[in-house]
Amino acid sequence: MPATVIVGAQWGDEGKGKIVDLLARDSDLVCRYQGGPNAGHTIVVGDETYRIRQIPTGILRGKASAIGAGCVVDPAVLIAEIDELEARGIRTDGLVFVSGNAHLIMPWHVALDGARERRLGRLQIGTTRRGIGPAYADKATRIGIRVQDLVDPKILREKIELAAAEKNVWLERVYELGHFDADEVLTTLLEHAERIRPWIADTSLLVDRTLRDGRRVLFEGGQGTLLDLDHGTYPFVTSSSPIAAGAAVSFGIGPNRIDEVLGVAKAYVTRVGEGPFPSEIEGDAQARVRELGHEFGTVTGRERRCGWLDLVALRFAVRVNGITSLALTKLDVLSAFAEIPVCVRYLLPDGSETEEFPAHQSDFHHCRPVFETLRGWSEELGTNGLPAAAHDFVSFVERVLEAEVRLVGTGAARDRVLALR
Ligand code: IMP
Ligand code: MG
């Protein structure tokens, strides 16, 4: 398919990196459409493990890689990432494209993100503290600094002085922290500008031309559906639009240009940070899944909370993204369990049961999972075919969701993906 969106169908960390890496082989351009260095994609290539945060994963396949207008960019992180890839022998020259309309994460955004979380205490969101929320907030209030401002030192100075004056009041008076010196911030940013300048591009035109030429474009989302600012489990969400439609918004193309939406879901669920989580595992199996699945954050190292597969939430993801097929990752982790609970309905506070994701937050916060128990398998999952019980598990998911599972992840290595169709 010429234009495909790969979207996280849960709360992020579904293993999108690996699926993007696989599909990037047959793509000409790989596009990251939202978020910033809060994302962390892990790709294992032979003995090497790459942890990618800002740049699209396609870079590992030597593909043109674009960062869209809907992203927020931490210049120091982006430059460090490119330098690290180059140092490890991955060529990036001529392959990096950054929208001039993307917003910059400034040092005060990072400081404010941390300060706000500390102040919230028990009520914290559990952000990655990378400055994401404050950067998007400034974008929405129209005092953000954009990538294209980097190429005009006069405008950049004005914007930095304006922003610093306001942020410093917040930092000093509200959070009792130190302030930022506008001149120092400008000096550092001008150094970064020299590196970033050649990467700045009209990414809308780039995608349009690539598609017109009949070439293939892959859009990769960060985070996941339930972390979407509008449709996720607000306020325990990120500040951008991970859902598939976000790709069209970020790259400035019509939604009708997107041909396929591939949803990526783990065979179980994880969530980092706070917020309701109906299918969260109780008892020893929680730690077992975490260990087997190496469920610790790529960016923050935090323990991820683990739950059984939630088909109510996944049905919602199929709907809001227009998912045309699914990749079910990390199925091998479930090999350790003789019986596998799968959440098929929610029991609501009023005693009724539903297969649809609750539209009201209170219903979601207080619902209880209704599980169906599926038979496990003890065979190790290889690369040719699935044992009968694992196959039944996949078929069950397809039947309940009325969506087809195209790919199944059976291990961490790059080649441990089974194509079912
Ligand atoms: P923020 O994106 O740093 O503002 O964090 C907001 C929420 O999104 C927190 O619950 C984070 O744990 C979560 N989050 C952000 N990025 C990721 C990710 O890549 N994987 C999983 N959760 C994430
Ligand atoms: Mg991640």
Side-chain angles (χ1 to χ4, degrees):
M1 280 294 181
T4 300
V5 179
I6 297 191
V7 62
Q10 295 158 331
W11 274 286
D13 305 315
E14 298 91 350
K16 296 180 290 294
K18 190 176 166 165
I19 302 298
V20 175
D21 176 61
L22 182 74
L23 270 65
R25 264 192 329 205
D26 303 319
S27 303
D28 300 291
L29 173 64
V30 182
C31 299
R32 172 75 189 275
Y33 60 85
Q34 43 66 238
N38 49 345
H41 289 163
T42 307
I43 292 119
V44 181
V45 184
D47 297 335
E48 300 278 321
T49 298
Y50 295 92
R51 295 206 163 77
I52 307 245
R53 290 164 57 182
Q54 260 302 182
I55 194 80
T57 317
I59 200 80
L60 294 178
R61 298 275 189 191
K63 303 296 174 156
S65 297
I67 295 176
C71 295
V72 285
V73 176
D74 188 323
V77 173
L78 178 62
I79 291 167
E81 189 163 275
I82 301 278
D83 287 345
E84 195 200 322
L85 288 170
E86 286 283 348
R88 293 174 72 180
I90 305 286
R91 187 178 80 87
T92 63
D93 201 29
L95 296 177
V96 180
F97 301 89
V98 183
S99 168
N101 291 353
H103 279 247
L104 295 176
I105 298 177
M106 301 296 290
W108 41 77
H109 294 141
V110 179
L112 286 167
D113 197 358
R116 203 167 280 163
E117 285 282 280
R118 281 191 296 277
R119 178 65 59 90
L120 283 170
R122 202 173 49 80
L123 298 176
Q124 70 171 354
I125 290 164
T127 74
T128 60
R129 304 198 177 194
R130 293 298 186 276
I132 306 297
Y136 277 111
D138 278 2
K139 167 182 173 173
T141 42
R142 289 150 299 174
I143 54 161
I145 301 175
R146 298 192 294 174
V147 167
Q148 60 182 284
D149 295 325
L150 289 172
V151 299
D152 191 329
K154 193 162 156 279
I155 291 181
L156 188 61
R157 171 179 289 280
E158 274 174 21
K159 293 198 173 184
I160 286 178
E161 283 173 353
L162 197 76
E166 186 185 310
K167 300 302 163 188
N168 283 337
V169 174
W170 276 90
L171 285 166
E172 292 183 305
R173 307 248 181 98
V174 179
Y175 295 112
E176 294 166 348
L177 291 171
H179 68 279
F180 286 95
D181 180 77
D183 284 332
E184 274 173 32
V185 172
L186 179 67
T187 306
T188 311
L189 217 47
L190 286 173
E191 276 167 27
H192 291 151
E194 287 313 304
R195 291 292 308 281
I196 293 176
R197 184 191 297 267
W199 301 334
I200 302 175
D202 182 339
T203 51
S204 164
L205 198 57
L206 178 67
V207 170
D208 182 63
R209 292 215 165 128
T210 307
L211 290 174
R212 275 174 198 271
D213 288 350
R215 288 180 294 150
R216 293 168 189 230
V217 179
L218 199 60
F219 296 94
E220 71 172 90
Q223 290 80 45
T225 303
L226 296 165
L227 291 172
D228 186 271
L229 181 60
D230 293 291
H231 300 284
T233 50
Y234 191 90
F236 304 102
V237 294
T238 191
S239 301
S240 62
S241 305
I243 61 168
V249 175
S250 176
F251 277 88
I253 55 163
N256 54 351
R257 304 291 291 280
I258 294 168
D259 300 287
E260 201 186 338
V261 179
L262 176 66
V264 184
K266 266 195 283 230
Y268 50 99
V269 191
T270 59
R271 165 159 216 185
V272 217
E274 309 308 314
F277 187 3
S279 70
E280 189 160 21
I281 301 170
E282 290 168 3
D284 299 342
Q286 167 78 229
R288 189 99 189 279
V289 170
R290 183 178 305 123
E291 288 304 320
L292 290 168
H294 308 287
E295 297 297 351
F296 301 90
T298 311
V299 177
T300 58
R302 288 183 290 176
E303 278 189 355
R304 294 179 184 145
R305 300 155 66 192
C306 299
W308 299 117
L309 186 63
D310 182 343
L311 293 177
V312 178
L314 210 46
R315 177 182 285 108
F316 173 74
V318 168
R319 164 158 52 98
V320 300
N321 292 298
I323 286 173
T324 49
S325 62
L326 281 160
L328 206 56
T329 60
K330 298 181 106 167
L331 188 62
D332 53 303
V333 171
L334 298 184
S335 301
F337 298 90
E339 294 191 321
I340 306 168
V342 174
C343 174
V344 289
R345 289 183 301 280
Y346 292 160
L347 172 64
L348 298 176
D350 70 3
S352 66
E353 289 189 0
T354 179
E355 291 183 341
E356 297 297 345
F357 197 77
H360 197 283
Q361 58 187 5
S362 298
D363 284 336
F364 184 61
H365 281 239
H366 301 295
C367 72
R368 299 286 309 151
V370 179
F371 289 111
E372 198 154 312
T373 303
L374 304 189
R375 192 162 55 97
W377 53 90
S378 48
E379 301 94 327
E380 203 193 312
L381 300 185
T383 36
N384 4 314
L386 291 174
H391 189 267
D392 289 348
F393 180 92
V394 173
S395 302
F396 182 82
V397 170
E398 291 185 316
R399 209 164 50 244
V400 171
L401 297 178
E402 296 176 64
E404 87 176 20
V405 175
R406 206 173 110 194
L407 301 165
V408 172
T410 58
R414 196 180 215 177
D415 59 355
R416 302 282 288 206
V417 181
L418 206 61
L420 297 187
R421 290 182 168 86

